Amino acid sequence: MKPQILVTRAVFPEVIARLSQHFEVASNQSDELWTKAELIEKLKGKVGAFTNGSDRIDAEVLDANPQLKICANMAVGYNNFDVDAMTAHKVLATNTPDVLTETTADFGFALLMATARRMTESEIYLRQGKWTKWSYDMFAGSDIHGSTLGILGMGRIGQGIAKRGAHGFGMKVIYHNRSRLDAATEAECKAHYVSKEELLKTADHVVLVLPYSPASHHTIGAAELAQMKPSATLVNIARGGIVDDAALAKALREGRIAAAGLDVFEGEPKFNTDLLTVPNVVLTPHIASSSVPTRMAMANLAADNLIGFLLKGKALTPINPSAAQA
Ligand code: GLV
Protein backbone atom coordinates (compact mmCIF):
# COMPACT_ATOMS: atom_id res chain seq x y z
CA MET A 1 0.00 0.00 0.00
CA LYS A 2 1.39 3.42 -0.97
CA PRO A 3 1.80 6.07 1.77
CA GLN A 4 -1.23 8.33 2.12
CA ILE A 5 -1.04 12.08 1.62
CA LEU A 6 -3.52 14.96 1.63
CA VAL A 7 -3.53 17.87 -0.86
CA THR A 8 -5.52 20.54 0.96
CA ARG A 9 -6.50 22.79 -1.98
CA ALA A 10 -6.94 22.43 -5.73
CA VAL A 11 -3.69 22.29 -7.66
CA PHE A 12 -2.52 21.51 -11.22
CA PRO A 13 -3.89 18.08 -12.29
CA GLU A 14 -0.39 17.21 -13.62
CA VAL A 15 0.97 17.59 -10.11
CA ILE A 16 -1.80 15.43 -8.63
CA ALA A 17 -0.92 12.83 -11.30
CA ARG A 18 2.78 12.94 -10.34
CA LEU A 19 1.97 12.55 -6.66
CA SER A 20 -0.43 9.68 -7.43
CA GLN A 21 2.45 7.67 -8.91
CA HIS A 22 3.94 7.48 -5.42
CA PHE A 23 1.11 8.03 -2.95
CA GLU A 24 -2.54 7.37 -2.22
CA VAL A 25 -3.66 10.97 -2.73
CA ALA A 26 -6.73 12.47 -1.08
CA SER A 27 -7.12 15.79 -2.86
CA ASN A 28 -9.47 18.72 -2.67
CA GLN A 29 -9.79 19.44 -6.40
CA SER A 30 -13.22 20.99 -5.78
CA ASP A 31 -11.25 23.61 -3.80
CA GLU A 32 -13.60 23.69 -0.81
CA LEU A 33 -12.45 25.80 2.12
CA TRP A 34 -12.14 23.56 5.18
CA THR A 35 -12.50 24.50 8.82
CA LYS A 36 -9.69 23.54 11.14
CA ALA A 37 -11.79 20.62 12.44
CA GLU A 38 -12.25 19.40 8.85
CA LEU A 39 -8.53 19.73 8.15
CA ILE A 40 -7.76 17.70 11.29
CA GLU A 41 -10.24 15.03 10.20
CA LYS A 42 -9.00 14.88 6.58
CA LEU A 43 -5.41 14.50 7.78
CA LYS A 44 -6.25 11.29 9.67
CA GLY A 45 -4.00 8.46 8.40
CA LYS A 46 -1.95 10.80 6.18
CA VAL A 47 1.84 10.90 6.54
CA GLY A 48 2.24 13.94 4.31
CA ALA A 49 0.31 17.09 3.50
CA PHE A 50 0.60 19.44 0.52
CA THR A 51 -0.48 22.72 2.11
CA ASN A 52 -0.77 26.38 1.27
CA GLY A 53 -0.54 29.58 3.25
CA SER A 54 -4.09 29.40 4.56
CA ASP A 55 -3.66 26.00 6.27
CA ARG A 56 -2.74 26.61 9.89
CA ILE A 57 -0.57 23.73 11.11
CA ASP A 58 -0.20 23.99 14.88
CA ALA A 59 -0.03 21.81 18.01
CA GLU A 60 -3.76 21.07 17.90
CA VAL A 61 -3.52 19.70 14.34
CA LEU A 62 -0.32 17.82 15.13
CA ASP A 63 -1.58 16.30 18.41
CA ALA A 64 -4.59 14.94 16.54
CA ASN A 65 -2.38 13.49 13.78
CA PRO A 66 0.71 11.89 15.33
CA GLN A 67 1.30 9.87 12.12
CA LEU A 68 2.03 13.06 10.12
CA LYS A 69 5.67 13.38 9.01
CA ILE A 70 5.83 16.31 6.58
CA CYS A 71 3.86 19.40 5.54
CA ALA A 72 5.01 20.82 2.20
CA ASN A 73 3.81 24.40 1.77
CA MET A 74 3.28 25.69 -1.77
CA ALA A 75 4.59 29.14 -0.75
CA VAL A 76 7.88 30.66 0.26
CA GLY A 77 6.27 32.26 3.35
CA TYR A 78 5.34 29.86 6.12
CA ASN A 79 3.75 31.90 8.87
CA ASN A 80 0.84 29.43 8.69
CA PHE A 81 3.20 26.87 10.27
CA ASP A 82 3.96 26.78 13.98
CA VAL A 83 7.50 25.64 13.21
CA ASP A 84 8.43 25.07 16.87
CA ALA A 85 5.41 22.81 17.37
CA MET A 86 6.24 20.98 14.12
CA THR A 87 9.83 20.42 15.22
CA ALA A 88 8.66 19.22 18.64
CA HIS A 89 6.30 16.77 16.91
CA LYS A 90 9.09 15.72 14.48
CA VAL A 91 7.12 16.96 11.50
CA LEU A 92 9.23 18.37 8.68
CA ALA A 93 8.14 21.72 7.25
CA THR A 94 9.14 22.69 3.71
CA ASN A 95 8.49 25.76 1.54
CA THR A 96 9.14 26.85 -2.05
CA PRO A 97 11.97 29.41 -2.10
CA ASP A 98 13.94 30.54 -5.18
CA VAL A 99 11.51 29.33 -7.86
CA LEU A 100 9.29 32.38 -7.28
CA THR A 101 11.92 35.04 -6.66
CA GLU A 102 12.03 36.70 -10.10
CA THR A 103 8.29 36.47 -10.76
CA THR A 104 7.51 38.00 -7.37
CA ALA A 105 10.11 40.74 -7.87
CA ASP A 106 8.54 41.48 -11.28
CA PHE A 107 5.16 41.83 -9.61
CA GLY A 108 6.52 44.02 -6.80
CA PHE A 109 7.87 46.34 -9.46
CA ALA A 110 4.63 46.25 -11.45
CA LEU A 111 2.63 47.13 -8.34
CA LEU A 112 5.05 49.94 -7.53
CA MET A 113 4.67 51.39 -11.01
CA ALA A 114 0.89 51.00 -11.07
CA THR A 115 0.72 52.74 -7.70
CA ALA A 116 3.08 55.62 -8.46
CA ARG A 117 1.46 56.21 -11.87
CA ARG A 118 -2.11 55.87 -10.58
CA MET A 119 -3.13 53.17 -13.03
CA THR A 120 -6.11 51.74 -11.13
CA GLU A 121 -7.60 55.13 -10.37
CA SER A 122 -7.26 56.28 -13.97
CA GLU A 123 -8.63 53.03 -15.40
CA ILE A 124 -11.71 53.25 -13.20
CA TYR A 125 -12.22 56.86 -14.42
CA LEU A 126 -11.97 55.72 -18.03
CA ARG A 127 -14.30 52.73 -17.51
CA GLN A 128 -16.82 55.01 -15.85
CA GLY A 129 -16.98 57.10 -19.03
CA LYS A 130 -15.59 60.21 -17.32
CA TRP A 131 -12.77 60.84 -19.84
CA THR A 132 -14.03 63.64 -22.07
CA LYS A 133 -10.96 65.89 -22.46
CA TRP A 134 -7.19 66.09 -21.98
CA SER A 135 -6.01 67.90 -18.85
CA TYR A 136 -2.48 69.02 -18.03
CA ASP A 137 -2.51 67.35 -14.61
CA MET A 138 -4.72 64.37 -15.32
CA PHE A 139 -3.71 61.59 -12.92
CA ALA A 140 -0.27 63.12 -12.52
CA GLY A 141 1.70 60.72 -10.35
CA SER A 142 5.28 60.40 -9.24
CA ASP A 143 8.32 59.20 -11.16
CA ILE A 144 10.02 55.87 -10.70
CA HIS A 145 13.22 56.57 -12.68
CA GLY A 146 15.79 58.55 -10.76
CA SER A 147 13.83 58.36 -7.49
CA THR A 148 14.82 56.75 -4.19
CA LEU A 149 13.59 53.21 -3.64
CA GLY A 150 13.50 52.04 -0.01
CA ILE A 151 13.26 48.28 0.54
CA LEU A 152 12.37 46.91 3.96
CA GLY A 153 13.42 43.24 4.06
CA MET A 154 16.32 42.43 1.77
CA GLY A 155 16.04 38.70 1.13
CA ARG A 156 16.04 37.17 -2.33
CA ILE A 157 12.89 38.99 -3.50
CA GLY A 158 14.02 42.32 -2.03
CA GLN A 159 17.30 41.94 -3.88
CA GLY A 160 15.43 41.20 -7.12
CA ILE A 161 13.44 44.41 -6.71
CA ALA A 162 16.61 46.37 -5.87
CA LYS A 163 18.32 45.16 -9.06
CA ARG A 164 15.32 46.07 -11.19
CA GLY A 165 15.22 49.54 -9.62
CA ALA A 166 18.94 50.28 -9.71
CA HIS A 167 19.88 48.76 -13.05
CA GLY A 168 16.63 49.17 -14.99
CA PHE A 169 15.32 52.50 -13.73
CA GLY A 170 18.37 54.34 -12.39
CA MET A 171 16.90 54.47 -8.90
CA LYS A 172 18.93 55.13 -5.81
CA VAL A 173 18.33 52.03 -3.66
CA ILE A 174 18.39 52.08 0.12
CA TYR A 175 17.42 49.15 2.31
CA HIS A 176 16.92 48.05 5.86
CA ASN A 177 17.09 44.45 7.01
CA ARG A 178 17.66 42.50 10.24
CA SER A 179 21.20 41.90 9.06
CA ARG A 180 23.26 43.87 6.60
CA LEU A 181 24.12 42.21 3.28
CA ASP A 182 27.75 41.41 2.45
CA ALA A 183 29.59 44.03 0.39
CA ALA A 184 29.48 42.01 -2.84
CA THR A 185 25.69 41.59 -2.69
CA GLU A 186 25.24 45.25 -1.81
CA ALA A 187 27.34 46.17 -4.86
CA GLU A 188 25.38 43.81 -7.11
CA CYS A 189 22.11 45.40 -5.97
CA LYS A 190 23.67 48.91 -5.85
CA ALA A 191 21.96 49.12 -2.46
CA HIS A 192 22.93 51.17 0.60
CA TYR A 193 22.12 50.03 4.12
CA VAL A 194 20.27 52.62 6.26
CA SER A 195 18.25 52.63 9.48
CA LYS A 196 14.52 52.00 9.22
CA GLU A 197 13.90 55.61 10.25
CA GLU A 198 16.16 57.04 7.55
CA LEU A 199 14.55 54.77 4.97
CA LEU A 200 11.05 55.93 5.87
CA LYS A 201 12.08 59.58 5.90
CA THR A 202 14.01 59.62 2.62
CA ALA A 203 12.50 57.03 0.26
CA ASP A 204 10.15 58.15 -2.50
CA HIS A 205 8.85 54.60 -2.75
CA VAL A 206 8.85 52.13 0.12
CA VAL A 207 8.48 48.43 -0.73
CA LEU A 208 7.88 45.84 2.01
CA VAL A 209 9.30 42.36 1.45
CA LEU A 210 9.97 41.13 4.98
CA PRO A 211 8.62 37.88 6.46
CA TYR A 212 5.70 38.03 8.86
CA SER A 213 6.27 37.07 12.50
CA PRO A 214 4.93 38.52 15.77
CA ALA A 215 8.06 40.74 15.72
CA SER A 216 7.16 42.23 12.33
CA HIS A 217 3.46 42.77 13.17
CA HIS A 218 2.52 46.36 12.25
CA THR A 219 6.07 47.26 11.19
CA ILE A 220 4.26 50.08 9.39
CA GLY A 221 1.63 51.79 11.54
CA ALA A 222 0.49 55.37 12.07
CA ALA A 223 3.85 56.50 13.50
CA GLU A 224 5.84 55.08 10.58
CA LEU A 225 3.39 56.47 7.99
CA ALA A 226 3.83 59.86 9.63
CA GLN A 227 7.60 59.63 9.07
CA MET A 228 7.19 59.07 5.31
CA LYS A 229 7.20 61.90 2.78
CA PRO A 230 3.70 63.12 1.86
CA SER A 231 4.64 62.41 -1.78
CA ALA A 232 5.75 58.83 -1.04
CA THR A 233 4.17 55.53 -2.07
CA LEU A 234 4.04 52.34 -0.04
CA VAL A 235 3.89 48.84 -1.54
CA ASN A 236 3.22 45.68 0.49
CA ILE A 237 3.90 42.34 -1.20
CA ALA A 238 5.09 40.72 2.03
CA ARG A 239 2.25 39.60 4.30
CA GLY A 240 -0.89 41.04 5.77
CA GLY A 241 -0.32 42.24 9.32
CA ILE A 242 3.02 43.86 8.49
CA VAL A 243 1.04 47.03 7.75
CA ASP A 244 -1.68 48.35 10.04
CA ASP A 245 -4.27 48.54 7.25
CA ALA A 246 -6.67 50.76 9.25
CA ALA A 247 -3.89 53.30 9.87
CA LEU A 248 -2.93 53.10 6.19
CA ALA A 249 -6.48 53.76 4.96
CA LYS A 250 -6.61 56.80 7.25
CA ALA A 251 -3.20 58.06 6.07
CA LEU A 252 -4.25 57.68 2.42
CA ARG A 253 -7.54 59.46 3.01
CA GLU A 254 -5.79 62.32 4.80
CA GLY A 255 -3.08 62.59 2.14
CA ARG A 256 -0.39 61.71 4.68
CA ILE A 257 1.22 59.65 1.90
CA ALA A 258 0.44 59.82 -1.82
CA ALA A 259 -0.55 56.26 -2.62
CA ALA A 260 -0.26 52.58 -1.72
CA GLY A 261 -0.20 49.26 -3.55
CA LEU A 262 -1.29 46.20 -1.60
CA ASP A 263 -1.15 42.56 -2.62
CA VAL A 264 -1.60 41.26 0.95
CA PHE A 265 -4.02 42.20 3.70
CA GLU A 266 -4.61 41.71 7.41
CA GLY A 267 -7.04 38.81 7.80
CA GLU A 268 -7.11 38.03 4.05
CA PRO A 269 -9.07 37.03 2.06
CA LYS A 270 -11.18 39.37 4.17
CA PHE A 271 -9.75 42.87 4.36
CA ASN A 272 -10.40 46.30 5.81
CA THR A 273 -13.12 47.69 3.52
CA ASP A 274 -12.06 51.27 4.33
CA LEU A 275 -9.42 50.60 1.68
CA LEU A 276 -12.19 50.47 -0.93
CA THR A 277 -13.24 54.00 -0.10
CA VAL A 278 -9.89 55.63 -0.85
CA PRO A 279 -9.01 56.13 -4.52
CA ASN A 280 -5.21 56.26 -4.21
CA VAL A 281 -4.64 52.59 -3.56
CA VAL A 282 -4.02 49.70 -5.97
CA LEU A 283 -5.40 46.42 -4.61
CA THR A 284 -4.59 42.90 -5.83
CA PRO A 285 -5.60 39.55 -4.26
CA HIS A 286 -2.23 38.08 -3.19
CA ILE A 287 -1.04 37.17 -6.68
CA ALA A 288 2.61 38.28 -6.64
CA SER A 289 3.95 34.80 -7.46
CA SER A 290 1.11 33.97 -9.82
CA SER A 291 2.55 33.44 -13.27
CA VAL A 292 1.67 30.09 -14.82
CA PRO A 293 5.27 28.80 -14.99
CA THR A 294 6.07 29.93 -11.45
CA ARG A 295 2.93 28.49 -9.86
CA MET A 296 3.73 25.23 -11.69
CA ALA A 297 7.32 25.33 -10.41
CA MET A 298 6.10 25.98 -6.86
CA ALA A 299 3.63 23.09 -7.03
CA ASN A 300 6.31 20.77 -8.42
CA LEU A 301 8.79 21.79 -5.73
CA ALA A 302 6.22 21.09 -2.99
CA ALA A 303 5.58 17.72 -4.65
CA ASP A 304 9.34 17.03 -4.90
CA ASN A 305 9.65 17.74 -1.18
CA LEU A 306 6.94 15.18 -0.38
CA ILE A 307 8.35 12.57 -2.77
CA GLY A 308 11.98 13.16 -1.73
CA PHE A 309 11.26 13.04 1.97
CA LEU A 310 8.69 10.27 2.18
CA LEU A 311 10.44 7.97 -0.31
CA LYS A 312 14.13 8.79 0.15
CA GLY A 313 14.30 10.62 3.49
CA LYS A 314 15.50 13.89 1.89
CA ALA A 315 13.49 17.03 1.18
CA LEU A 316 14.92 19.71 -1.13
CA THR A 317 13.94 22.82 0.83
CA PRO A 318 13.41 21.99 4.51
CA ILE A 319 12.64 24.76 6.99
CA ASN A 320 13.32 22.72 10.15
CA PRO A 321 15.74 19.95 9.09
CA SER A 322 16.27 18.94 12.72
CA ALA A 323 12.67 17.62 12.77
CA ALA A 324 13.74 14.86 10.39
CA GLN A 325 16.54 13.63 12.65
CA ALA A 326 15.41 10.67 14.75
C1 GLV B 1 3.36 33.91 -1.24
O1 GLV B 1 2.98 34.83 -0.58
C2 GLV B 1 4.38 33.01 -0.79
O2 GLV B 1 4.78 33.09 0.38
O3 GLV B 1 4.83 32.19 -1.59
Side-chain angles (χ1 to χ4, degrees):
M1 169 104 171
K2 294 177 191 166
Q4 294 182 51
I5 64 159
L6 177 70
V7 180
T8 65
R9 296 287 306 278
V11 76
F12 299 100
E14 300 91 310
V15 175
I16 298 286
R18 266 192 77 207
L19 289 167
S20 301
Q21 291 171 9
H22 307 281
F23 306 117
E24 287 301 321
V25 180
S27 67
N28 178 13
Q29 289 299 80
S30 58
D31 214 19
E32 288 163 49
L33 293 177
W34 294 334
T35 62
K36 190 170 195 189
E38 286 169 328
L39 175 63
I40 287 177
E41 198 47 43
K42 307 255 183 205
L43 278 170
K44 291 278 157 69
K46 313 296 187 304
V47 290
F50 183 116
T51 56
N52 73 72
S54 51
D55 298 313
R56 177 80 187 140
I57 304 293
D58 59 14
E60 191 188 346
V61 173
L62 300 166
D63 284 340
N65 283 284
Q67 80 294 339
L68 193 61
K69 292 187 165 50
I70 172 172
C71 292
N73 230 24
M74 184 181 149
V76 65
Y78 50 85
N79 54 301
N80 56 310
F81 287 166
D82 180 339
V83 176
D84 290 343
M86 291 175 79
T87 307
H89 285 77
K90 296 200 179 307
V91 174
L92 190 73
T94 66
N95 66 341
T96 57
D98 300 320
V99 292
L100 48 59
T101 301
E102 298 303 328
T103 294
T104 306
D106 280 351
F107 186 88
F109 221 86
L111 189 53
L112 167 58
M113 296 194 75
T115 303
R117 298 300 306 273
R118 305 176 63 181
M119 287 189 179
T120 297
E121 241 183 306
S122 60
E123 183 176 350
I124 290 171
Y125 176 89
L126 178 149
R127 284 177 183 268
Q128 288 175 340
K130 293 182 178 165
W131 184 31
T132 55
K133 58 182 187 312
W134 180 89
S135 308
Y136 76 97
D137 61 349
M138 185 185 269
F139 294 105
S142 57
D143 274 326
I144 299 290
H145 72 272
S147 65
T148 298
L149 171 62
I151 302 176
L152 263 183
M154 197 64 154
R156 288 163 285 219
I157 298 169
Q159 290 170 36
I161 293 172
K163 286 178 201 157
R164 282 160 178 75
H167 300 291
F169 290 83
M171 297 174 93
K172 175 181 175 192
V173 179
I174 56 178
Y175 78 98
H176 184 75
N177 199 41
R178 269 173 309 184
S179 46
R180 188 170 172 172
L181 300 178
D182 59 67
T185 312
E186 278 188 356
E188 212 184 317
C189 298
K190 287 197 174 176
H192 307 275
Y193 184 80
V194 295
S195 67
K196 178 180 163 194
E197 191 184 355
E198 186 179 342
L199 185 144
L200 292 172
K201 282 188 173 155
T202 56
D204 297 306
H205 307 288
V206 175
V207 179
L208 306 174
V209 211
L210 61 165
Y212 180 81
S213 70
S216 61
H217 184 74
H218 287 186
T219 293
I220 302 292
E224 290 75 19
L225 290 161
Q227 287 180 295
M228 290 173 64
K229 295 182 186 178
S231 57
T233 60
L234 175 73
V235 168
N236 186 8
I237 58 162
R239 274 291 181 271
I242 286 179
V243 175
D244 176 345
D245 286 346
L248 176 61
K250 187 165 184 285
L252 288 167
R253 182 172 297 107
E254 291 172 358
R256 272 290 321 125
I257 64 168
L262 304 176
D263 186 48
V264 288
F265 303 85
E266 287 190 278
E268 66 182 52
K270 295 201 176 83
F271 59 91
N272 187 321
T273 50
D274 277 0
L275 290 166
L276 297 176
T277 66
V278 282
N280 44 343
V281 61
V282 179
L283 306 169
T284 52
H286 202 150
I287 55 166
S289 66
S290 192
S291 72
V292 177
T294 290
R295 283 285 164 91
M296 182 63 94
M298 291 165 69
N300 273 315
L301 178 51
D304 287 339
N305 278 321
L306 285 164
I307 296 166
F309 185 63
L310 290 172
L311 272 57
K312 297 177 215 144
K314 194 151 175 58
L316 295 178
T317 50
I319 295 162
N320 59 345
S322 63
Q325 283 146 25

